[in-house]
Every structure is written in structure tokens, then in C-alpha cells.
Amino acid sequence: MHYSVEEATALVATFRHWHHDFEIFPGVWTKGNYNPLELLRKINFPDDLTGQSVLDIGASDGYFSLEAKKRGARVLSIDYRPKDGHGFGIMETLSGFQFDYLHANLFDLKPEDLGQFDHVIFMGLLYHLPDMMRGFAMVRTLSKRLMYLETHCSPSLSPEVAAARYYRARDLNNDLTNFWSPNVKCVADMAHDCAFDLVEGAPFGDRYFGTFSVNN
């Protein structure tokens, strides 16, 4: 089905709480919480992902899934909400692409069924996990080549010691699901002990982005 700008705008307006702020349709923006373009630049996907697989864990409105799909990748998108419980379903409708989508929690995934992926997007999720090491271990079982991590990151803890601050109740951004703020060394050391090697990474404000390769 072909949509006009007016029809696409009306469809986007049916969902109020967008996370990704992006151009979902030519001339139509979602007005989400943040613009993910800079993170896409940090991922630095090749222009052509034909023949490669991408796993987007915590896909939310599907911005990164869409960008991978546009480049020809085979994409599996996963989120704890159903497809129509956030903007992903609308993105899929307007994009003209069909996505493999799994409504699941990270710890419910079965690597023996899903296999491994060339590129694993693991962003905005680590600090929501009560058990960060278990999360890293699960992601490692699904990773074949590269993993892209973005997380809340504490700028106040000593950089010399791997450490993470725990947040009680709603202390971090008034969100009950925000548990941890690891420092840079803590992120790197946890990843290392789950068989990932740091390719490159750096904090920005109270966030951190890193690209990790699989250590076989």
C-alpha cells in the first residue's frame, strides 16, 4: 500500500510515546525522546549488508532494524513489548519492509533456535538488567562477529577500578527499571570475561558506546 505524507503523518500520530526521533517516512518525523543518528554513525554499518545478519535486541521503534534492513541485511528484531505495543508496527507498515520480530525478554531467548548473528545491537539495555553479567553471557551466545553496546555509564566512579553504582527504586531518571551505572572499566572487564574484545569505545556524558568483537 502506498501512503501520502498526510496519511503517514496521521498514522504516526496514532502512537504518542515514540522513543526514536527519526524520519519514518519521507517528510514525516516521529518526535521521539532522542535522535539515534549519532549512534548509527558510531555503529558505522557498511553501506551493503547483503548476506549478513543483524540482531537488534531491544529494538523499540525499530530505527536500527530499519537501517540494517535498508542495507540488505537479514534482520531479527526483539523487544519485550509486542510489535504494536510501541512504534515498531507503524515503522514496518510505512517502510514497506517485513521484519522478523520476536516478542520476548532477553533471558527467554534460545540461542539453539536463533543461531548466531554477524552484528548484534545491544543498546540501551544493559543498565536495565539486574544481572549484567548474565546479560553479556546471553548476548555472547548470539554473537558471531561484532556486538554494539550502548549503556548508561557512571562518570563519577574511579576510572582505575571496575565498578558500578546501583540505583534504588526510581533514583535514576525516575525509572524503576534503571538498576545500574557501570563505569568504563567495568563495562570493558565484564565484556572481556564473556569473551568479547573491545574494538573501540568511549563515554559521552553519562553514556558509553563501544564496539566489541567476538573472542573465539
Side-chain angles (χ1 to χ4, degrees):
M1 178 177 177
H2 296 287
Y3 291 86
S4 67
V5 170
E6 292 74 19
E7 289 170 332
T9 300
L11 186 56
V12 169
T14 64
F15 194 80
R16 294 188 177 185
H17 303 292
W18 290 87
H19 183 57
H20 296 142
D21 182 356
F22 68 108
E23 190 174 25
I24 194 171
F25 186 85
V28 180
W29 289 75
T30 58
K31 298 181 180 178
N33 295 334
Y34 85 103
N35 187 325
L37 180 59
E38 186 57 34
L39 285 178
L40 180 66
R41 291 179 178 140
K42 291 177 185 295
I43 291 174
N44 195 27
F45 277 141
D47 292 337
D48 188 357
L49 286 170
T50 302
Q52 299 186 49
S53 55
V54 173
L55 176 63
D56 188 2
I57 305 173
S60 190
D61 301 322
Y63 173 79
F64 298 104
S65 294
L66 177 60
E67 291 298 326
K69 195 78 166 179
K70 286 178 179 177
R71 290 163 171 76
R74 175 176 65 85
V75 179
L76 175 61
S77 308
I78 295 173
D79 201 273
Y80 76 96
R81 294 165 291 187
K83 185 185 295 186
D84 294 324
H86 49 159
F88 194 100
I90 295 173
M91 179 281 293
E92 183 179 45
T93 296
L94 292 177
S95 72
F97 292 114
Q98 289 188 331
F99 289 85
D100 292 325
Y101 186 94
L102 188 59
H103 172 204
N105 182 284
L106 173 64
F107 298 130
D108 294 330
L109 301 181
K110 296 181 179 179
E112 62 271 21
D113 294 335
L114 300 179
Q116 292 186 319
F117 295 78
D118 296 298
H119 305 270
V120 176
I121 300 170
F122 183 45
M123 300 197 301
L125 185 58
L126 181 67
Y127 60 101
H128 291 291
L129 304 178
D131 189 338
M132 291 190 289
M133 282 295 287
R134 185 183 172 203
F136 264 122
M138 174 60 79
V139 172
R140 175 60 183 85
T141 65
L142 297 163
S143 300
K144 185 190 301 183
R145 291 177 52 205
L146 293 170
M147 183 264 289
Y148 310 100
L149 170 73
E150 188 274 339
T151 182
H152 196 275
C153 182
S154 175
S156 61
L157 298 173
S158 169
E160 305 301 322
V161 178
R165 176 183 173 183
Y166 180 80
Y167 286 88
R168 175 182 174 180
R170 298 180 180 272
D171 285 353
L172 179 56
N173 296 333
N174 196 33
D175 188 337
L176 278 170
T177 72
N178 289 341
F179 297 109
W180 294 103
S181 185
N183 65 5
V184 171
K185 183 169 175 54
C186 184
V187 171
D189 287 358
M190 287 191 294
H192 174 273
D193 286 351
C194 289
F196 285 108
D197 290 329
L198 177 64
V199 177
E200 59 180 348
F204 53 105
D206 61 358
R207 312 292 294 192
Y208 171 87
F209 177 88
T211 299
F212 295 79
S213 63
V214 167
N215 181 340
N216 292 312

